[in-house]
Each structure stands twice: as C-alpha cells, then as structure tokens.
Amino acid sequence: MNFTFYGHACFSVRTEGKTLLFDPFITPNEQAAHVNVDQIVADYVLISHGHEDHVADARLIANKNDATVVSNFEIVSWFTSRGIKNGHPMNHGGSWKFGFGTVKYVNAVHSSVLPDGTYGGNPGGFIVTSGGKTFYYAGDTALHMDMKLIGEYEKLDFAVLPIGDNFTMGVDDAVRAAEFIRCDKIIGVHYDTFGFIKIDHEEAKRKFAEKGKELILMKIGQTISL
Ligand code: NI
Ligand code: MN
C-alpha cells in the first residue's frame, strides 16, 4: 500500500491497482503550491465531510479522472447535482464492498456544511480494508468513545488522525484516540495549514512515543510504503 500526503487532510492510498484520494484540498493550500493538481490520479474520491478544506478540489479531480465520489448521502447528492458522474452514497455504520476492498463510513464528532451553505449531513470517517490491510481515517473529529468500538472490532495496520487542535482533537487527545483504536502507527493530518492549528512537531512525536506509538508527519508530496 503506497500512501501519498498532499497537505492538510488530503492524501491518497494506492492499493489493489486503484488510487483512493481522500479530502482533496490542494489548490487553496499555499503549502501545497508545488503539487500539480492536474497530475493527481484518482479512481475514488472519499470525502469525510462537507467543509471547504476537505472538498475544494473534489469536483475537478473526480471529473478529470472519471472517479467515483464516496461520502455520505447528502454530500454525494450535492456533487451529483453539480455534474459529478459517479457517486456512491453511504451513511454511518454502513459498509460496501468495492473492487479494491471494503469501505465503512463511521462516526465523527464535528460539523458538516458544504461550501454554498447546503447541509452536508453528519461528518464521518472511513475504515478501509484492502490488500490484506486495514486502516482508519478519522476525518475531522473530537476524541469520542465510539473509537473504542473500532479498536475492539478491527485490527488496524495504521490510522490517519487529525492532530492540529482547535477545529479537531489535538495531540493529547489523538494519543488517547490511538489507544482507543489500539493502533501504534499514526499518520498525523490537519495541522500547520492555518494559524489556529500550528503544532510543535517534535513534542507531538514525543507524546506518541511515550505511549509506545509512532507519529508519522509527512512532507507534502511525499510517498511512503505501508
Ligand atoms: Ni471540518
Ligand atoms: Mn477541516
């Protein structure tokens, strides 16, 4: 499984011959100015919730690649009414077997409105199982007790958690989240993009390490193998 970070909470996972792109927010992100959005490949675009910093480039990339947008019913309906050809609506607690593996849409504690003010349904996260591996992307969320259910029922190889604080959980709660989901390899997202979410990288890594966990903070444009 190849994992590429595109800044903020945008990343792609290449698995089973398909590319899954999550929460595309590239062109408005000054820190991702060196990423050429026209070169991003996606077979699926998975969207956790409706906020601008998670959907900004979704339509552009989905249409260019003929990709399928996967999100909650409200967000997929909004995109299909705006010219997206392929959408797969889900809702909380539901799973679907795609060609590359299984996706489950799970709870997040946050808000969700689309850029034009349309109701974006309840925000979520995803559990993806593909190619013999399982990972969890929490989306924008507070720490919540339902994460313990994920730890009980899934064996996660890695998880993608927001760590920037203010709009989502911060580092201390993300360490607790890693304990709830029983996962030792965490990729941090949703930090440093705006003034409210700047973090101390070394302190964050140390706090995870103190609990026997690895926090991976990637460079924008970097790809790692997981
Ligand atoms: Ni948000
Ligand atoms: Mn956000």
Side-chain angles (χ1 to χ4, degrees), residues 8 53-54 140 190:
H8 197 49
D53 61 321
H54 299 259
D140 281 10
H190 216 277

Side-chain angles (χ1 to χ4, degrees), residues 187-202:
I187 298 169
V189 295
H190 216 277
Y191 64 94
D192 284 1
T193 321
F194 323 115
F196 293 127
I197 59 174
K198 294 245 188 291
I199 65 157
D200 181 329
H201 293 201
E202 292 316 309

Side-chain angles (χ1 to χ4, degrees), residues 109-127:
V109 175
H110 191 66
S111 57
S112 177
V113 66
L114 286 149
D116 67 353
T118 302
Y119 172 60
N122 286 319
F126 297 99
I127 298 171

